[in-house]
Amino acid sequence: GAVVSQHPSRVICKSGTSVKIECRSLDFQATTMFWYRQFPKQSLMLMATSNEGSKATYEQGVEKDKFLINHASLTLSTLTVTSAHPEDSSFYICSASKGGSATQYFGPGTRLLVL
Amino acid sequence: DQQVKQNSPSLSVQEGRISILNCDYTNSMFDYFLWYKKYPAEGPTFLISISSIKDKNEDGRFTVFLNKSAKHLSLHIVPSQPGDSAVYFCAASAYIGNEKLTFGTGTRLTIIP
């Protein structure tokens, strides 16, 4: 199997606070993890790619100081949305891949609402 | 620049019939292709993949066809079932081992009982 979990599934926070989202690969070691954002009725937008033990690679237009990514182990990556604002409200999805494979396995997503 | 395109935003198919979802790409460096299924407020679920050395891959009710010369791939679902109703995304990778995927915009498939 290839199961990926995310926590929390939903979070509501006040503007200006920081929110941390965890992504875990439960039954395999993920050499690479990815963070996506999906706006309503749109495709998945890749935000960043993270490899265990190294700095994340951010896509163009994604603020690395705004979206902090840590990939501390082969089974855990975290995304922290710092000083969240209402425009950060979105559906955030992580995925993980096994070494040498382009197939990504996705988590269930986290719905973030910033008031 | 949309490198992976799904030109049909929606598709309705009678239960039991064949569903055909299409995907076109422009980047000739893509050599690995995947299909994902997604329900609302959930993460995508991997369905099937194909590498560029093949033109067909089959897994149960799902078959993916790849036409490299036309830069076109399709997903066939037969027979279609009500549980297949979801949004389907095709995705492509530039080479196996480069795990970054480029996604299409998705096609919403509705199976009519």
Side-chain angles (χ1 to χ4, degrees):
Chain A
V3 181
V4 177
S5 70
Q6 263 182 260
H7 178 79
S9 58
R10 302 172 66 95
V11 57
I12 301 173
C13 68
K14 292 183 178 179
S15 186
T17 61
S18 294
V19 175
K20 180 185 282 189
I21 303 170
E22 290 188 351
C23 177
R24 293 181 185 272
S25 57
L26 299 184
D27 54 359
F28 67 100
Q29 292 189 325
T31 53
T32 309
M33 286 184 165
F34 305 83
W35 287 96
Y36 293 83
R37 185 173 176 176
Q38 186 183 27
F39 293 99
K41 298 184 179 180
Q42 292 190 27
S43 187
L44 289 81
M45 183 193 82
L46 179 65
M47 299 174 65
T49 303
S50 76
N51 292 290
E52 183 262 339
S54 60
K55 289 185 178 180
T57 302
Y58 289 82
E59 295 298 302
Q60 193 173 12
V62 179
E63 299 176 59
K64 61 180 181 181
D65 295 330
K66 172 78 173 174
F67 299 100
L68 299 178
I69 291 171
N70 182 271
H71 193 159
S73 75
L74 285 172
T75 60
L76 173 64
S77 176
T78 60
L79 167 69
T80 301
V81 183
T82 62
S83 187
H85 290 286
E87 58 264 30
D88 298 324
S89 298
S90 191
F91 191 56
Y92 293 87
I93 314 173
C94 74
S95 70
S97 63
K98 304 175 185 177
S101 171
T103 302
Q104 294 179 23
Y105 300 94
F106 286 82
T110 297
R111 172 73 60 192
L112 170 64
L113 176 60
V114 184
L115 302 176
Chain B
D1 175 29
Q2 190 69 37
Q3 297 187 62
V4 179
K5 301 177 184 179
Q6 293 176 255
N7 292 318
S8 298
S10 64
L11 174 69
S12 294
V13 174
Q14 204 80 31
E15 181 180 358
R17 298 285 183 98
I18 183 171
S19 296
I20 300 176
L21 298 108
N22 294 302
C23 180
D24 297 294
Y25 61 96
T26 57
N27 189 340
S28 58
M29 299 301 291
F30 286 147
D31 67 354
Y32 189 67
F33 305 88
L34 309 90
W35 283 95
Y36 287 87
K37 173 182 179 180
K38 187 180 183 300
Y39 294 114
E42 293 185 13
T45 301
F46 170 70
L47 283 176
I48 192 168
S49 63
I50 187 168
S51 74
S52 59
I53 61 174
K54 294 186 175 182
D55 54 19
K56 176 183 175 181
N57 189 26
E58 193 171 350
D59 184 1
R61 296 187 298 117
F62 303 95
T63 303
V64 56
F65 295 91
L66 175 62
N67 183 333
K68 283 183 62 180
S69 60
K71 293 190 177 67
H72 176 84
L73 65 153
S74 61
L75 174 69
H76 292 211
I77 306 173
V78 57
S80 299
Q81 299 173 355
D84 296 329
S85 295
V87 177
Y88 289 78
F89 290 95
C90 67
S93 174
Y95 56 92
I96 296 175
N98 174 8
E99 297 141 326
K100 185 174 170 178
L101 296 178
T102 301
F103 282 85
T105 50
T107 297
R108 180 176 300 280
L109 174 65
T110 301
I111 305 302
I112 304 166

